[in-house]
Amino acid sequence: MSASARSRELGARIAFPVGLFVFSRLALWLLARVSLVLETRLYRPPFKYPGLAGLEAFCWWDCGWYVGIAQEGYTRAQATNFFPLLPLLGRLVHELTGLSLPVALVGIAQVAGLLALVVLHQLFRELADEEEARTALLLFTAYPFAFFQSVGYPESLMVLLTALAVALSLRGRHGWAGLTLGVAGLARHLSLLAGFSLLYQQLRARGGGVRALLHRDVLALLLPPLITSLYFVYLWRTFGDPQLWWKVRAQGWGGAWAGLGDWLRGKWAPEVGLYVVVSFIPGVGALLLLRRRQWWVLAAFTLPLMLVLWTVGLVGLGRYSAAVWPAFLPLGAWLARRPALRDPIILGCALFQGMLVYFFVHSYPIN
């Protein structure tokens, strides 16, 4: 195949995810920009907006912690709850471009979000047909809390790097898959649960059994925890306690460890109930991954992840559930066979997302 033919093929392959990214991000930016012009009052203004083209409107709440870490480093124990990859990249972009740190962090989320859609589209096409893959990508992008892929949070990095790790594993590139997942762990530690997918793929490729576990490629599964542990080594050298992030999260973040059981027994803010209800969308998708054998490699990651989120992720369950990307493949496959439902459901999710974006850019406590 000639270079021009390969270029055309690549262009055709990425046209849909790139177009979806451009359309969805423009819609989010316009909504945020217009809403801030029409209604200037903020729920809680920690710093001024709009910054570069209004991008600072997507840097509220935890994004402020990442800004502080990128600016000052880990000078406070409470900051250790936030893993280092995003603030490190934010500082690098800030130094190279002169952009403000909030804009740099949001910009990183955009780049990671674009690459994530490209990787997910290709991965979904390998595990389903084109129409199912496209519908899954549309649903993933329209999911009510998917706007967090555009916020100065590490969610988009987690999606990109875990999806890339799984894709590399499916191609037999186990060393690169382990390395990629290790970097993902430095963005969000829950990324390491994708190691179950990498393990499943290795076992499947070699027919399972004890002998499969003795293969040299299994050593690649040690890379994710080893690379992620670099952060714990840093905490030990800096604060004298490699478990400081765990202790801080348990003691200083209120209901950070709360789960569905706590929600049923206690009184929580109305938005937390919304997180729980909406989280059952990817929860159902996680279960539906068991319907096709070729999807089991994704189920090995998704089912444990949803279980962890429902157990200890109540306060941030909205944005956490938006990062459970494998769950949208079976949901998309189901909708692709029901065109009468597909467009209304995707449009309804997108409109719901727009309402949440309005609240978020006005600094209401949406997580």
Side-chain angles (χ1 to χ4, degrees):
M1 183 182 296
S2 66
S4 60
R6 286 196 299 269
S7 179
R8 287 194 299 270
E9 180 183 355
L10 177 62
R13 189 182 305 168
I14 67 173
F16 179 76
V18 170
L20 178 59
F21 172 84
V22 172
F23 177 81
S24 61
R25 269 47 177 192
L26 279 177
L28 290 177
W29 177 81
L30 286 173
L31 173 61
R33 190 67 169 162
V34 171
S35 69
L36 288 170
V37 170
L38 296 179
E39 175 55 79
T40 59
R41 290 177 296 177
L42 297 177
Y43 175 80
R44 179 187 175 191
F47 52 80
K48 293 182 179 180
Y49 65 87
L52 179 64
L55 289 180
E56 281 191 6
F58 289 93
C59 188
W60 296 108
W61 304 104
D62 286 359
C63 182
W65 283 95
Y66 289 111
V67 169
I69 296 168
Q71 193 168 29
E72 305 170 359
Y74 288 96
T75 57
R76 291 183 290 170
Q78 273 199 312
T80 61
N81 180 55
F82 302 94
F83 275 54
L85 182 61
L86 178 60
L88 181 63
L89 292 176
R91 182 56 181 259
L92 180 62
V93 171
H94 168 70
E95 295 289 345
L96 292 176
T97 66
L99 293 172
S100 70
L101 285 170
V103 171
L105 293 174
V106 174
I108 291 167
Q110 306 309 314
V111 174
L114 170 60
L115 296 176
L117 289 182
V118 172
V119 173
L120 286 178
H121 182 239
Q122 180 61 32
L123 183 56
F124 287 169
R125 287 176 72 244
E126 294 178 12
L127 299 172
D129 63 41
E130 178 66 28
E131 187 62 27
E132 292 174 337
R134 291 191 174 195
T135 305
L137 210 62
L138 282 168
L139 188 59
F140 172 73
T141 306
Y143 180 68
F145 290 96
F147 70 90
F148 277 105
Q149 307 299 323
S150 297
V151 172
Y153 282 35
E155 263 58 34
S156 56
L157 285 171
M158 176 182 177
V159 171
L160 168 62
L161 294 171
T162 54
L164 183 58
V166 172
L168 288 168
S169 181
L170 289 174
R171 289 167 175 74
R173 308 288 295 276
H174 301 299
W176 285 108
L179 179 63
T180 302
L181 188 56
V183 176
L186 293 174
R188 283 200 59 208
H189 59 292
L190 289 179
S191 301
L192 296 181
L193 292 174
F196 289 118
S197 287
L198 273 55
L199 173 61
Y200 175 86
Q201 176 58 21
Q202 288 207 33
L203 293 176
R204 182 175 68 171
R206 291 188 286 274
V210 176
R211 293 185 62 184
L213 293 174
L214 299 178
H215 195 277
R216 64 179 181 276
D217 285 343
V218 173
L219 294 175
L221 297 174
L222 299 177
L223 289 175
L226 285 176
I227 294 174
T228 304
S229 68
L230 293 176
Y231 178 52
F232 309 139
V233 173
Y234 169 80
L235 295 181
W236 171 62
R237 294 291 302 273
T238 305
F239 296 96
D241 186 355
Q243 296 181 333
L244 182 62
W245 72 276
W246 181 282
K247 296 174 181 177
V248 164
R249 182 174 175 85
Q251 298 172 4
W253 291 92
W257 291 109
L260 294 185
D262 301 283
W263 177 69
L264 292 172
R265 291 189 297 268
K267 294 182 179 180
W268 295 84
E271 63 269 15
V272 176
L274 175 64
Y275 306 158
V276 172
V277 172
V278 176
S279 74
F280 282 98
I281 296 175
V284 170
L287 291 174
L288 291 177
L289 284 169
L290 298 174
R291 295 187 61 187
R292 297 187 190 178
R293 194 174 185 88
Q294 67 265 33
W295 293 346
W296 288 4
V297 64
L298 301 183
F301 167 36
T302 313
L303 289 171
L305 178 58
M306 283 305 308
L307 181 61
V308 169
L309 295 181
W310 279 334
T311 303
V312 297
L314 186 62
V315 173
L317 189 55
R319 63 183 174 96
Y320 294 161
S321 61
V324 188
W325 56 267
F328 293 91
L329 179 56
L331 294 174
W334 186 86
L335 278 180
R337 298 190 297 273
R338 295 163 177 83
L341 295 176
R342 179 186 57 199
D343 293 344
I345 288 177
I346 291 176
L347 179 59
C349 287
L351 291 175
F352 192 6
Q353 181 182 147
M355 181 189 73
L356 295 176
V357 169
Y358 173 86
F359 287 133
F360 182 84
V361 300
H362 284 82
S363 71
Y364 281 77
I366 300 295
N367 277 292

